[in-house]
Protein backbone atom coordinates (compact mmCIF):
# COMPACT_ATOMS: atom_id res chain seq x y z
CA UNK A 1 0.00 0.00 0.00
CA UNK A 2 1.39 3.39 -0.84
CA UNK A 3 0.52 6.82 0.50
CA UNK A 4 -1.81 7.69 -2.41
CA UNK A 5 -4.12 4.78 -1.44
CA UNK A 6 -4.69 6.17 2.06
CA UNK A 7 -7.38 8.62 3.13
CA UNK A 8 -5.97 12.19 2.98
CA UNK A 9 -5.92 12.61 6.77
CA UNK A 10 -4.08 9.32 7.33
CA UNK A 11 -0.27 9.19 7.14
CA UNK A 12 1.30 5.74 6.72
CA UNK A 13 2.93 5.96 10.15
CA UNK A 14 -0.43 6.77 11.76
CA UNK A 15 -2.02 3.79 10.04
CA UNK A 16 0.85 1.54 11.15
CA UNK A 17 0.63 2.76 14.75
CA UNK A 18 -3.13 2.16 14.76
CA UNK A 19 -2.57 -1.40 13.56
CA UNK A 20 0.05 -1.97 16.25
CA UNK A 21 -2.27 -0.55 18.92
CA UNK A 22 -4.82 -3.20 17.96
CA UNK A 23 -2.30 -6.05 17.81
CA UNK A 24 -0.06 -5.34 20.80
CA UNK A 25 -0.59 -5.64 24.53
CA UNK A 26 -1.37 -2.22 26.04
CA UNK A 27 1.80 -2.08 28.14
CA UNK A 28 3.97 -3.02 25.16
CA UNK A 29 2.27 -0.41 23.00
CA UNK A 30 2.83 2.31 25.63
CA UNK A 31 6.49 1.30 25.84
CA UNK A 32 6.77 1.46 22.06
CA UNK A 33 5.25 4.94 22.00
CA UNK A 34 7.64 6.13 24.70
CA UNK A 35 10.55 5.10 22.48
CA UNK A 36 9.28 6.37 19.13
CA UNK A 37 7.50 9.61 20.05
CA UNK A 38 10.68 11.71 20.39
CA UNK A 39 11.92 10.45 17.02
CA UNK A 40 8.54 11.04 15.36
CA UNK A 41 8.51 14.59 16.73
CA UNK A 42 12.01 15.14 15.30
CA UNK A 43 10.88 13.79 11.93
CA UNK A 44 7.84 16.09 11.94
CA UNK A 45 10.12 19.01 12.78
CA UNK A 46 12.55 17.86 10.05
CA UNK A 47 15.40 17.56 12.55
CA UNK A 48 16.70 14.10 11.69
CA UNK A 49 20.46 13.66 11.92
CA UNK A 50 20.71 12.19 8.43
CA UNK A 51 19.94 9.12 6.39
CA UNK A 52 21.34 6.59 8.88
CA UNK A 53 20.49 6.68 12.53
CA UNK A 54 19.94 4.27 15.37
CA UNK A 55 17.54 4.25 18.24
CA UNK A 56 19.09 6.17 21.10
CA UNK A 57 20.91 3.66 23.32
CA UNK A 58 19.31 5.13 26.45
CA UNK A 59 15.75 5.00 25.14
CA UNK A 60 16.19 1.50 23.69
CA UNK A 61 18.20 0.07 26.58
CA UNK A 62 16.54 -2.99 28.03
CA UNK A 63 13.80 -3.08 25.40
CA UNK A 64 12.55 -6.51 24.40
CA UNK A 65 13.75 -7.31 20.86
CA UNK A 66 10.17 -7.36 19.53
CA UNK A 67 9.55 -3.81 20.79
CA UNK A 68 12.90 -2.62 19.44
CA UNK A 69 12.09 -4.10 16.01
CA UNK A 70 8.63 -2.54 16.00
CA UNK A 71 10.12 0.82 16.98
CA UNK A 72 12.54 0.58 14.06
CA UNK A 73 9.67 -0.29 11.72
CA UNK A 74 7.53 2.62 12.98
CA UNK A 75 10.40 5.04 12.42
CA UNK A 76 11.12 3.58 8.98
CA UNK A 77 7.45 3.98 8.05
CA UNK A 78 7.54 7.62 9.17
CA UNK A 79 10.71 8.30 7.17
CA UNK A 80 9.87 6.38 3.99
CA UNK A 81 6.08 6.50 3.97
CA UNK A 82 6.16 2.79 3.12
CA UNK A 83 4.32 0.03 4.94
CA UNK A 84 6.41 -2.84 3.53
CA UNK A 85 9.53 -2.36 5.65
CA UNK A 86 11.21 -5.38 7.22
CA UNK A 87 13.89 -5.91 9.84
CA UNK A 88 16.75 -8.03 8.50
CA UNK A 89 19.68 -9.36 10.50
CA UNK A 90 23.04 -9.31 8.71
CA UNK A 91 26.06 -11.18 10.01
CA UNK A 92 29.03 -8.82 9.98
CA UNK A 93 32.34 -10.44 10.96
CA UNK A 94 33.80 -7.26 12.47
CA UNK A 95 30.81 -6.36 14.63
CA UNK A 96 28.59 -9.43 14.91
CA UNK A 97 24.95 -9.42 13.88
CA UNK A 98 23.52 -6.08 12.75
CA UNK A 99 19.79 -5.49 12.36
CA UNK A 100 18.74 -3.13 9.58
CA UNK A 101 15.39 -2.00 8.27
CA UNK A 102 14.80 -2.14 4.55
CA UNK A 103 11.97 -2.49 2.07
CA UNK A 104 10.56 -5.93 1.24
CA UNK A 105 12.22 -6.15 -2.19
CA UNK A 106 15.67 -5.48 -0.76
CA UNK A 107 15.05 -7.84 2.17
CA UNK A 108 14.50 -10.68 -0.30
CA UNK A 109 17.50 -9.81 -2.52
CA UNK A 110 20.71 -11.54 -1.35
CA UNK A 111 22.89 -9.43 -3.67
CA UNK A 112 21.51 -6.17 -2.30
CA UNK A 113 21.81 -7.44 1.29
CA UNK A 114 25.46 -8.27 0.54
CA UNK A 115 25.99 -4.69 -0.67
CA UNK A 116 24.46 -3.36 2.55
CA UNK A 117 26.70 -5.66 4.61
CA UNK A 118 29.75 -4.42 2.64
CA UNK A 119 28.73 -0.81 3.36
CA UNK A 120 28.44 -1.58 7.09
CA UNK A 121 31.88 -3.28 7.07
CA UNK A 122 33.47 -0.30 5.31
CA UNK A 123 31.81 2.15 7.66
CA UNK A 124 33.05 0.13 10.66
CA UNK A 125 36.61 0.16 9.28
CA UNK A 126 36.42 3.92 8.72
CA UNK A 127 35.12 4.48 12.25
CA UNK A 128 37.92 2.36 13.70
CA UNK A 129 40.50 4.30 11.68
CA UNK A 130 39.05 7.62 12.87
CA UNK A 131 38.96 6.32 16.44
CA UNK A 132 42.67 5.43 16.16
CA UNK A 133 43.52 8.89 14.82
CA UNK A 134 41.51 10.54 17.60
CA UNK A 135 43.19 8.37 20.24
CA UNK A 136 46.67 9.18 18.87
CA UNK A 137 45.75 12.86 18.94
CA UNK A 138 44.39 12.71 22.50
CA UNK A 139 40.91 13.57 21.25
CA UNK A 140 37.64 11.97 22.38
CA UNK A 141 37.14 8.56 20.77
CA UNK A 142 33.40 8.14 21.23
CA UNK A 143 32.44 8.26 17.54
Amino acid sequence: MNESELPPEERPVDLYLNLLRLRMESDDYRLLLRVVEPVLRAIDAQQLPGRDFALDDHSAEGLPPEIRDQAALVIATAVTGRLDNEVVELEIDETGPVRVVTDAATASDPVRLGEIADYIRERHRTNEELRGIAEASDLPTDL
Side-chain angles (χ1 to χ4, degrees):
M1 178 178 291
N2 64 39
E3 199 163 349
S4 64
E5 297 171 355
L6 297 174
E9 69 280 354
E10 202 65 63
R11 300 179 307 169
V13 70
D14 297 328
L15 178 64
Y16 191 65
L17 283 169
N18 286 334
L19 291 171
L20 289 176
R21 185 176 43 79
L22 296 172
R23 287 190 1 216
M24 296 176 77
E25 296 290 327
S26 295
D27 290 342
D28 289 344
Y29 184 74
R30 280 192 291 276
L31 179 59
L32 173 71
L33 286 180
R34 193 174 74 219
V35 172
V36 300
E37 281 181 333
V39 179
L40 295 178
R41 279 194 298 274
I43 291 168
D44 285 342
Q46 299 179 350
Q47 295 177 343
L48 280 180
R51 198 175 86 166
D52 305 355
F53 63 94
L55 289 174
D56 180 87
D57 287 338
H58 301 295
S59 67
E61 194 173 297
L63 279 179
E66 302 82 28
I67 303 291
R68 182 177 271 224
D69 286 353
Q70 284 301 334
L73 290 169
V74 167
I75 293 165
T77 301
V79 171
T80 66
R82 298 178 63 124
L83 295 168
D84 69 338
N85 299 303
E86 294 182 26
V87 176
V88 178
E89 186 169 279
L90 301 173
E91 190 60 45
I92 309 294
D93 296 333
E94 295 85 351
T95 64
V98 174
R99 297 175 73 77
V100 297
V101 177
T102 187
D103 63 274
T106 300
S108 65
D109 182 349
V111 172
R112 184 66 181 117
L113 292 176
E115 292 170 352
I116 293 169
D118 290 344
Y119 170 79
I120 293 169
R121 285 184 196 96
E122 181 59 33
R123 187 162 175 176
H124 175 75
R125 283 191 282 278
T126 300
N127 285 347
E128 289 305 306
E129 185 177 324
L130 291 172
R131 193 178 324 280
I133 292 168
E135 191 173 287
S137 304
D138 290 325
L139 296 170
T141 59
D142 55 344
L143 300 174

